[in-house]
Coordinates of all heavy atoms in Angstrom, one line a residue:
Y1039 N 89.7 71.8 92.1 CA 88.3 71.9 92.7 C 87.4 71.7 91.5 O 86.4 70.8 91.6 CB 88.0 73.2 93.3 CG 86.6 73.5 93.5 CD1 85.8 72.9 94.4 CD2 86.0 74.5 92.7 CE1 84.5 73.2 94.5 CE2 84.6 74.9 92.8 CZ 83.8 74.2 93.7 OH 82.5 74.6 93.9
L1040 N 87.6 72.3 90.4 CA 86.8 72.1 89.2 C 86.8 70.7 88.7 O 85.7 70.0 88.4 CB 87.2 73.0 88.0 CG 86.9 74.5 88.2 CD1 87.6 75.3 87.1 CD2 85.4 74.8 88.2
Q1041 N 88.0 70.1 88.8 CA 88.1 68.7 88.2 C 87.4 67.7 89.1 O 86.7 66.8 88.7 CB 89.5 68.2 88.2 CG 90.4 69.0 87.2 CD 91.9 68.6 87.2 OE1 92.2 67.4 87.3 NE2 92.8 69.5 87.0
I1042 N 87.4 67.9 90.4 CA 86.7 67.0 91.4 C 85.2 67.1 91.4 O 84.5 66.1 91.6 CB 87.4 67.1 92.8 CG1 88.9 66.7 92.8 CG2 86.7 66.4 93.8 CD1 89.7 67.2 93.9
L1043 N 84.7 68.2 91.5 CA 83.3 68.5 91.8 C 82.5 68.8 90.5 O 81.3 68.8 90.7 CB 83.2 69.6 92.7 CG 83.9 69.4 94.1 CD1 83.6 70.7 95.0 CD2 83.3 68.2 94.8
R1044 N 83.0 69.1 89.4 CA 82.1 69.3 88.2 C 81.3 68.2 87.9 O 81.8 67.1 87.8 CB 83.0 69.9 87.0 CG 83.7 68.7 86.3 CD 84.8 69.3 85.3 NE 85.4 68.2 84.7 CZ 86.6 68.4 84.1 NH1 87.1 69.6 84.0 NH2 87.1 67.3 83.5
P1045 N 80.0 68.4 87.7 CA 79.0 67.3 87.5 C 79.4 66.4 86.2 O 79.2 65.2 86.2 CB 77.7 67.9 87.2 CG 77.8 69.4 87.8 CD 79.3 69.7 87.6
E1046 N 79.9 67.0 85.1 CA 80.2 66.4 83.9 C 81.5 65.7 83.8 O 81.8 65.1 82.8 CB 80.1 67.3 82.6 CG 81.2 68.3 82.5 CD 81.0 69.6 83.5 OE1 80.2 69.5 84.3 OE2 81.5 70.6 83.2
H1047 N 82.2 65.6 85.0 CA 83.5 65.0 85.0 C 83.4 63.5 84.7 O 82.6 62.8 85.3 CB 84.2 65.2 86.4 CG 85.3 64.3 86.6 ND1 86.6 64.7 86.1 CD2 85.5 63.2 87.3 CE1 87.6 63.8 86.4 NE2 87.0 62.9 87.2
T1048 N 84.2 62.9 83.7 CA 84.4 61.6 83.6 C 85.8 61.3 83.4 O 86.7 62.1 83.1 CB 83.6 61.2 82.2 OG1 84.3 61.9 81.1 CG2 82.2 61.6 82.2
E1049 N 86.2 59.9 83.4 CA 87.5 59.6 83.1 C 88.0 60.0 81.8 O 89.2 60.4 81.7 CB 87.7 58.0 83.3 CG 89.2 57.6 83.2 CD 89.4 56.0 83.2 OE1 88.4 55.4 83.2 OE2 90.5 55.7 83.2
L1050 N 87.2 59.9 80.7 CA 87.5 60.4 79.4 C 87.9 61.8 79.3 O 89.0 62.3 78.8 CB 86.4 60.2 78.4 CG 86.7 60.7 77.0 CD1 87.9 59.9 76.5 CD2 85.5 60.4 76.1
E1051 N 87.1 62.7 80.0 CA 87.3 64.2 80.1 C 88.7 64.4 80.8 O 89.5 65.4 80.5 CB 86.2 64.9 80.6 CG 85.0 64.8 79.8 CD 85.2 65.1 78.2 OE1 85.8 66.2 77.9 OE2 84.8 64.3 77.4
E1052 N 88.8 63.7 82.0 CA 90.2 63.8 82.8 C 91.3 63.5 81.9 O 92.4 64.1 81.8 CB 90.1 63.0 84.0 CG 91.3 63.0 84.8 CD 91.2 62.2 86.1 OE1 90.7 62.6 87.1 OE2 91.6 61.0 85.9
Y1053 N 91.2 62.4 81.1 CA 92.3 61.9 80.2 C 92.5 63.0 79.1 O 93.7 63.3 78.9 CB 91.8 60.7 79.5 CG 92.8 60.3 78.4 CD1 93.9 59.7 78.5 CD2 92.4 60.6 77.0 CE1 94.7 59.2 77.5 CE2 93.1 60.3 76.0 CZ 94.3 59.6 76.1 OH 95.2 59.3 75.1
V1054 N 91.5 63.6 78.6 CA 91.7 64.6 77.6 C 92.5 65.8 78.2 O 93.3 66.4 77.6 CB 90.3 65.2 77.0 CG1 90.6 66.3 76.0 CG2 89.7 64.0 76.2
Q1055 N 92.1 66.2 79.4 CA 92.8 67.3 80.0 C 94.3 67.0 80.2 O 95.2 67.8 79.9 CB 92.2 67.5 81.5 CG 93.0 68.5 82.3 CD 92.2 69.5 83.2 OE1 91.0 69.6 83.0 NE2 92.9 70.2 84.1
G1056 N 94.6 65.6 80.6 CA 96.0 65.3 80.7 C 96.7 65.3 79.3 O 97.9 65.6 79.4
V1057 N 96.1 64.9 78.3 CA 96.7 65.0 77.0 C 97.0 66.4 76.5 O 98.2 66.8 76.0 CB 95.9 64.2 75.9 CG1 96.4 64.4 74.5 CG2 95.7 62.8 76.3
V1058 N 96.0 67.2 76.6 CA 96.2 68.7 76.3 C 97.3 69.3 77.1 O 98.2 70.0 76.5 CB 94.9 69.5 76.4 CG1 95.1 71.0 76.0 CG2 93.8 68.8 75.5
S1059 N 97.4 69.0 78.3 CA 98.4 69.5 79.2 C 99.9 69.1 78.8 O 100.7 69.9 78.9 CB 98.2 69.1 80.7 OG 96.9 69.5 81.2
A1060 N 99.8 67.8 78.3 CA 101.3 67.3 77.9 C 101.6 67.8 76.3 O 102.7 67.9 76.1 CB 101.2 65.9 78.0
E1061 N 100.6 67.9 75.6 CA 100.8 68.0 74.1 C 101.0 69.4 73.6 O 101.5 69.7 72.6 CB 99.7 67.2 73.3 CG 99.8 65.7 73.5 CD 100.8 65.1 72.5 OE1 101.6 65.9 71.9 OE2 100.9 63.9 72.3
M1062 N 100.2 70.4 74.3 CA 100.2 71.7 73.7 C 100.6 72.7 74.9 O 100.0 72.6 76.0 CB 98.8 72.0 73.1 CG 98.6 73.5 72.5 SD 97.1 73.6 71.6 CE 97.4 72.9 70.0
P1063 N 101.3 73.8 74.5 CA 101.5 74.8 75.5 C 100.3 75.4 76.1 O 99.4 75.9 75.1 CB 102.4 75.8 74.7 CG 103.1 74.9 73.7 CD 102.1 73.9 73.3
A1064 N 100.1 75.6 77.4 CA 98.9 76.0 77.9 C 98.6 77.5 77.6 O 97.4 77.9 77.7 CB 99.0 75.9 79.4
L1065 N 99.6 78.2 77.2 CA 99.3 79.7 76.8 C 99.0 79.9 75.3 O 98.9 80.9 74.9 CB 100.5 80.5 77.1 CG 100.8 80.7 78.6 CD1 102.0 81.5 79.0 CD2 99.5 81.4 79.4
F1066 N 98.9 78.7 74.6 CA 98.4 78.8 73.2 C 96.9 79.5 73.2 O 96.3 79.4 74.3 CB 98.4 77.5 72.5 CG 99.6 77.1 71.8 CD1 100.8 77.7 72.1 CD2 99.5 76.2 70.8 CE1 102.0 77.4 71.4 CE2 100.8 75.9 70.1 CZ 101.9 76.4 70.4
P1067 N 96.5 80.0 72.1 CA 95.2 80.6 72.1 C 94.1 79.6 72.5 O 94.3 78.4 72.2 CB 94.9 81.0 70.7 CG 96.3 81.3 70.1 CD 97.2 80.2 70.9
M1068 N 93.0 80.1 73.2 CA 92.0 79.2 73.6 C 91.4 78.2 72.5 O 91.1 77.0 72.7 CB 90.9 79.9 74.3 CG 89.8 79.0 74.9 SD 90.4 77.8 76.1 CE 91.2 78.9 77.3
E1069 N 91.2 78.8 71.3 CA 90.7 78.0 70.3 C 91.6 77.0 69.8 O 91.2 75.9 69.3 CB 90.2 78.9 69.1 CG 89.1 79.9 69.3 CD 87.8 79.3 69.9 OE1 87.4 78.3 69.2 OE2 87.4 79.7 71.0
A1070 N 92.8 77.1 69.9 CA 93.8 76.1 69.5 C 93.8 75.0 70.6 O 93.9 73.8 70.3 CB 95.2 76.7 69.4
L1071 N 93.7 75.4 71.8 CA 93.5 74.4 72.9 C 92.3 73.6 72.7 O 92.2 72.4 73.0 CB 93.6 75.1 74.3 CG 94.8 75.7 74.8 CD1 94.7 76.5 76.0 CD2 96.0 74.7 75.0
K1072 N 91.2 74.2 72.4 CA 90.0 73.5 72.1 C 90.1 72.5 71.0 O 89.7 71.4 71.0 CB 88.8 74.5 71.8 CG 88.4 75.3 73.0 CD 87.3 76.2 72.5 CE 86.9 77.1 73.7 NZ 85.7 78.1 73.2

């Protein structure tokens, strides 16, 4: 829902989400994910 309706959504930001999802464990600290 956040991905589809958020106003700032762009293809670049969707791409970044896909890279972070693939490259780094999601349970790493938030600052590492950032």
Side-chain angles (χ1 to χ4, degrees):
Y1039 162 72
L1040 287 173
Q1041 293 180 40
I1042 293 168
L1043 298 180
R1044 67 188 185 204
E1046 69 274 21
H1047 172 78
T1048 65
E1049 184 184 5
L1050 176 60
E1051 298 306 309
E1052 180 182 272
Y1053 167 83
V1054 172
Q1055 173 146 344
V1057 174
V1058 177
S1059 299
E1061 289 280 9
M1062 181 174 276
L1065 288 180
F1066 268 23
M1068 184 55 62
E1069 295 305 308
L1071 292 172
K1072 290 180 184 178

